[in-house]
Amino acid sequence: MKHLKITAVLKEEKLLQEICVNGWVRSFRNNRFIALNDGSTLNNLQCVIEDNTIDTEISNRIHTGASLTIKGVLKESEGRGQRVELIATTIDIEGDANPEEVKTTILSPKKHSLELLREQAHLRIRTNTFGAIMRVRSKLSFAVHQYFQERDFFYVHTPIITSSDAEGAGETFKVTHLNLDDLPVGEDGATDYKKDFFGKETNLTVSGQLEGETYAMGLGNIYTFGPTFRAENSNTSRHLAEFWMIEPEMAFCNLDQNMDVAEEFIKYVIKYVLDNCGDDLAFLEKRLLDEEKQKPLEQRSEMPLREKLKFILNNNFKRVSYSEAIEILKDSKPNKKKKFKFPVNEWGVDLQSEHERYLVEKHFKCPVILFNYPAKIKAFYMRLNEDGNTVRAMDILFPGIGEIVGGSQREERLDVLKEKMDELGVSQEELYWYLDTRRYGSCTHSGFGLGFERLVLFVTGMTNVRDVIPYPRTPMNAEF
Ligand code: 4AD
Ligand code: MG
């Protein structure tokens, strides 16, 4: 007997055969119709109990949430709403679910708020919404690898525990094996990290870029795709303390080529989910429409989800220099009417998410790549332009999201890089290995980092990153 996943059953051409399925009960109607879901697809399999075929001792234990093994015969469905259904011949209860207890959880079949689902993150994967999001997330991950692997990029596993702070923002989580209640103190009165596990101070990585660059200097084109940790105390719908980042790094590649790859890459993975996650995207699109019905018109999305994704595929990202962007912002209505929380009045200011969203959503109405930022507001490793003021940085801004990608051409000139490190207080001694890449066969090279959750957010039409990662880590929250 064929043991099938429900996604396969629903596509099965050969009827009247006996098959076996497993899954969880979503609903049980009229003591007759079981809607069974095994997670392989959004769609449930309708399993039918015909009169007197299953012991009442068993059928009395069929409730929402219970897990079953059902053997039966696949038939064309008489009812509307499905092509096939399974006429049960035997049903085994794998695990009961007490209906009184189920009622107190989000497994109970009614609409629950996303906030409540977050509190029960260990159960929310049994809902249609989270099943859809997590299947899309998985397909997107696969597409990330497929894009790079098809183009001869090598996947590199950069360390999770490091002794460097690649972004220099000081937002790292410390890693220590010392007894925090009894710290060893050195002669200078400070904690003596020589006595710690690694013999020095260590932290969780904020970016695999620096190690990635050293590997690009041997393998040519590489990418990383791993967890990243930032102790930013920003309680927003776009920040996580633990998120996944994709960081390609390319030798012999300049900023323009870097932008080309980033744009092509994003379009590729979006096309992949459009082609491979039709049911889930259709469901998420409808979910968003329903959710937005309660919002005032001007706060609703301009396009349905799948149309929005196709719009990305069919339009070039608008490439704009930081200086041009500042002029646009200075002249903008919200700036003149003092509607921005951070007014834009001079060249050199850092752009806030309100500015990014204005550029993308109101001014250009398409994804924007901003480039050539002031050196002062960017990291030490970015290539200084000939003007001496700007660096070859680029950020990609998306509607509804803001920054989705941050990248740059890297400073390949040893002397300029050293000077910059001294200026910003980045230790040359600590990063001697990074400087070595500029000593032995340095070359023009570039890369970028894409925040995976922000991409999943965009593709699924969700609005909070906490809802697109299984167990979100945010300030004051590390449950599960
Ligand atoms: O702009 P960021 O800080 O760039 C880097 O880390 C570079 N080392 C990348 C590179 O050039 N290889 O971060 C890159 C992206 C952001 O654009 C954003 O999408 C995401 O990572 N990101 C976050 N996502 C969720 N939560 C956070 N706290 C994030 N911080 C950054
Ligand atoms: Mg950034």
Side-chain angles (χ1 to χ4, degrees):
M1 191 182 307
K2 266 204 233 170
H3 209 117
L4 292 177
K5 286 283 179 196
I6 289 175
T7 183
V9 176
L10 296 175
K11 289 180 213 137
E12 183 63 50
E13 292 295 331
K14 195 169 150 251
L15 300 182
L16 301 179
Q17 61 171 322
E18 250 208 308
I19 61 161
C20 175
V21 294
N22 305 105
W24 293 271
V25 178
R26 283 291 174 85
S27 66
F28 186 35
R29 239 178 348 109
N30 303 342
N31 261 328
R32 195 176 166 87
F33 300 107
I34 306 167
L36 195 73
N37 190 286
D38 67 357
S40 64
T41 161
L42 179 77
N43 303 305
N44 301 327
L45 175 64
Q46 172 154 292
C47 304
V48 185
I49 301 181
E50 294 191 327
D51 295 340
N52 308 320
T53 51
I54 303 291
D55 277 354
T56 48
E57 198 192 307
I58 294 286
S59 59
N60 286 342
R61 288 167 59 196
I62 300 176
H63 300 290
T64 297
S67 55
L68 311 179
T69 297
I70 305 183
K71 291 180 183 135
V73 180
L74 198 58
K75 287 211 176 128
E76 194 171 326
S77 176
E78 287 165 18
R80 283 188 300 141
Q82 63 274 321
R83 187 180 61 92
V84 293
E85 60 191 19
L86 189 67
I87 310 300
T89 46
T90 64
I91 298 180
D92 290 315
I93 312 269
E94 294 254 348
D96 288 290
N98 178 328
E100 287 312 310
E101 286 170 13
V102 164
K103 252 191 231 159
T104 67
T105 72
I106 55 154
L107 295 178
S108 56
K110 60 174 190 201
K111 203 163 164 40
H112 304 286
S113 71
L114 290 169
E115 287 76 16
L116 188 66
L117 293 179
R118 249 172 250 153
E119 284 170 23
Q120 297 179 35
H122 59 304
L123 298 177
R124 66 180 178 172
I125 192 56
R126 297 251 201 117
T127 64
N128 282 337
T129 301
F130 281 83
I133 295 168
M134 292 306 157
R135 279 186 296 270
V136 169
R137 184 178 166 112
S138 168
K139 292 286 178 197
L140 264 176
S141 311
F142 179 76
V144 166
H145 286 290
Q146 183 158 289
Y147 174 84
F148 288 117
Q149 295 288 333
E150 278 176 353
R151 285 159 185 75
D152 299 318
F153 282 65
F154 297 99
Y155 181 31
V156 173
H157 298 110
T158 49
I160 305 286
I161 300 175
T162 84
S163 53
S164 63
D165 173 4
E167 294 305 303
E171 291 164 336
T172 61
F173 287 101
K174 304 270 172 277
V175 173
T176 182
H177 190 248
L178 294 174
N179 178 355
L180 295 183
D181 297 323
D182 185 16
L183 290 170
V185 177
E187 276 170 15
D188 57 356
T191 305
D192 184 5
Y193 287 99
K194 287 202 192 74
K195 300 230 166 70
D196 204 348
F197 191 92
F198 298 105
K200 65 196 308 196
E201 250 189 291
T202 50
N203 53 267
L204 295 176
T205 184
V206 294
S207 159
Q209 180 194 319
L210 303 191
E211 293 90 349
E213 279 186 56
T214 65
Y215 261 59
M217 292 300 136
L219 289 175
N221 289 346
I222 64 100
Y223 69 105
T224 72
F225 185 1
T228 310
F229 308 86
R230 294 196 187 174
E232 309 175 77
N233 204 356
S234 30
N235 237 320
T236 79
S237 57
R238 312 216 169 343
H239 288 87
L240 291 163
E242 175 178 304
F243 64 100
W244 286 67
M245 184 152 58
I246 296 139
E247 294 188 280
E249 192 66 36
M250 297 160 282
F252 309 104
C253 172
N254 64 26
L255 187 68
D256 284 326
Q257 294 163 319
N258 195 24
M259 294 192 234
D260 292 343
V261 172
E263 181 169 346
E264 186 191 62
F265 163 61
I266 293 176
K267 287 179 171 171
Y268 179 98
V269 295
I270 290 181
K271 177 158 193 318
Y272 186 89
V273 287
L274 272 170
D275 291 345
N276 290 280
C277 303
D279 287 347
D280 287 324
L281 289 181
F283 172 82
L284 291 166
E285 177 173 301
K286 182 160 181 305
R287 192 206 72 83
L288 186 62
L289 278 174
D290 289 345
E291 188 186 80
E292 290 188 340
K293 271 186 197 145
Q294 292 135 26
K295 290 189 178 169
L297 268 180
E298 69 277 6
Q299 283 175 29
R300 297 185 198 171
S301 313
E302 281 181 19
M303 295 175 212
L305 182 62
R306 282 170 298 177
E307 204 179 304
K308 176 188 87 172
L309 298 179
K310 284 180 194 147
F311 178 85
I312 299 293
L313 300 188
N314 297 331
N315 289 279
N316 292 333
F317 296 4
K318 181 84 186 157
R319 300 184 187 191
V320 187
S321 73
Y322 167 91
S323 302
E324 289 171 76
I326 287 294
E327 288 309 312
I328 294 168
L329 288 167
K330 267 201 223 159
D331 286 344
S332 69
K333 246 196 209 159
N335 199 48
K336 288 181 169 160
K337 292 193 166 168
K338 308 217 178 320
K339 287 273 161 60
F340 284 142
K341 201 169 150 216
F342 298 89
V344 180
N345 36 40
E346 61 183 30
W347 191 93
V349 295
D350 203 355
L351 296 183
Q352 305 296 325
S353 98
E354 57 179 351
H355 308 134
E356 298 176 340
R357 294 188 62 168
Y358 173 83
L359 290 169
V360 175
E361 289 159 28
K362 297 284 185 303
H363 190 84
F364 290 109
K365 295 184 188 295
C366 72
V368 172
I369 311 185
L370 286 187
F371 62 92
N372 285 351
Y373 280 78
K376 285 216 163 60
I377 58 172
K378 289 290 185 185
F380 76 93
Y381 50 71
M382 297 186 181
R383 175 65 157 78
L384 190 66
N385 275 315
E386 280 61 44
D387 62 16
N389 273 329
T390 60
V391 285
R392 288 183 201 166
M394 64 110 172
D395 277 4
I396 303 188
L397 315 179
F398 257 46
I401 305 283
E403 178 189 336
I404 194 165
V405 162
S408 64
Q409 186 177 319
R410 320 304 189 190
E411 184 55 76
E412 82 285 10
R413 299 163 299 181
L414 183 62
D415 50 337
V416 183
L417 183 58
K418 279 168 138 180
E419 213 172 288
K420 189 64 176 284
M421 288 168 80
D422 287 347
E423 207 178 288
L424 295 180
V426 180
S427 165
Q428 288 188 35
E429 219 170 79
E430 289 274 324
L431 287 184
Y432 73 93
W433 50 273
Y434 185 68
L435 290 169
D436 268 359
T437 58
R438 275 66 172 175
R439 285 195 180 98
Y440 312 120
S442 188
C443 70
T444 303
H445 64 289
S446 302
F448 62 86
L450 175 132
F452 190 55
E453 283 70 26
R454 294 195 186 172
L455 177 68
V456 182
L457 204 58
F458 184 76
V459 170
T460 57
M462 300 300 290
T463 45
N464 193 317
V465 273
R466 292 170 176 82
D467 298 328
V468 298
I469 187 165
Y471 296 106
R473 268 60 181 118
T474 50
M476 305 311 289
N477 175 38
E479 192 68 23
F480 309 104

